[in-house]
Amino acid sequence: MRVRELHRAEAADVVATVFRGLSPHSRYLRFHAPVPRLTAAMHRRLADLDGRRRAALVAECHHRPVGIARLATTGDSAAEIAIAVVDPWQRKGVGTRLVAELATLAAALDYTALHGDVLHDNQPMLRLVRRLLPGARLTRTEDDVVHVRYPLTVTHEDLVADLR
C-alpha cells in the first residue's frame, strides 16, 4: 500500500471509486446520514482540491484507491478532516496511515490544529483517534457526535483549555 497526495485532475475518479467501495453503513458513518449515492454537488465538492485550502491523500493498493483522507481549512488556521476507507480494507492499517500522513501534511501547510466530527457509534474511528492522536480533545455533543480537536502546535488556547 502507498499513500500519496491526491491531485485535482484525478480526484473525481478516486472519489467515485472509494465511495463505491463503502457499504451503506460505512457511508452513514462517514457522512452522518444515509447517502445511497453522491449527488453531483457532493461529488464536485469532494473532488475540488487545490492542495492548500482543500487537500487530500489517497491510499492505493495495486494502483487501486482504497481510502481517502481529506482536509479543508476552516479559516482559523485549523483544518477539518474526513477519512473514508473501502470496506475490505478497514481495520488493516489504512486509516492509521492516512490520519498520520494527513497530520504531517497539515503541519507542512502551517495548520495549527485538526478537527472533525465522529459519530459516537463509530468506535473503531474513535479508538484510532485516541491511539494515533494523543492529546486530542474529544467532546461529545447532544446529538451523539464526538467533536475531535487535535492541536498540531501548542497555542495559548490549548494551554488554557488544558488547565480547565
Side-chain angles (χ1 to χ4, degrees):
M1 178 184 66
R2 81 176 183 147
V3 174
R4 63 175 179 82
E5 187 173 350
L6 181 61
H7 300 284
R8 176 180 277 176
E10 63 186 331
D13 290 338
V14 170
V15 166
T17 299
V18 170
F19 186 82
R20 281 192 306 269
L22 300 174
S23 66
H25 182 68
S26 293
R27 292 174 185 172
Y28 180 82
L29 292 176
R30 164 59 180 89
F31 294 101
H32 299 200
V35 181
R37 66 176 185 80
L38 284 178
T39 65
M42 288 172 70
H43 193 253
R44 271 193 309 277
R45 194 182 97 243
L46 292 171
D48 182 19
L49 303 174
D50 63 13
R52 169 77 183 111
R53 295 178 48 80
R54 293 171 313 281
L57 300 173
V58 57
E60 298 172 317
C61 186
H62 303 294
H63 304 288
R64 292 192 46 88
V66 297
I68 296 176
R70 189 174 189 281
L71 66 79
T73 186
T74 53
D76 57 357
S77 76
E80 181 178 28
I81 64 170
I83 295 115
V85 175
V86 299
D87 283 38
W89 283 87
Q90 292 176 7
R91 292 169 193 76
K92 295 184 178 179
V94 177
T96 298
R97 282 274 308 275
L98 284 169
V99 170
E101 293 196 30
L102 193 65
T104 300
L105 175 62
L109 293 173
D110 294 325
Y111 288 104
T112 60
L114 298 176
H115 62 90
D117 292 329
V118 180
L119 290 177
H120 176 15
D121 293 348
N122 195 347
Q123 289 301 311
M125 180 56 77
L126 291 172
R127 282 191 298 275
L128 184 148
V129 165
R130 286 183 186 104
R131 185 181 80 248
L132 199 58
L133 304 176
R137 285 195 225 359
L138 282 68
T139 309
R140 189 166 175 178
T141 65
E142 292 177 11
D143 54 353
D144 279 340
V145 170
V146 177
H147 182 73
V148 176
R149 182 167 179 82
Y150 179 68
L152 295 167
T153 59
V154 178
T155 65
H156 175 73
E157 175 186 292
D158 297 322
L159 292 173
V160 170
D162 285 342
L163 292 173
R164 291 185 186 145

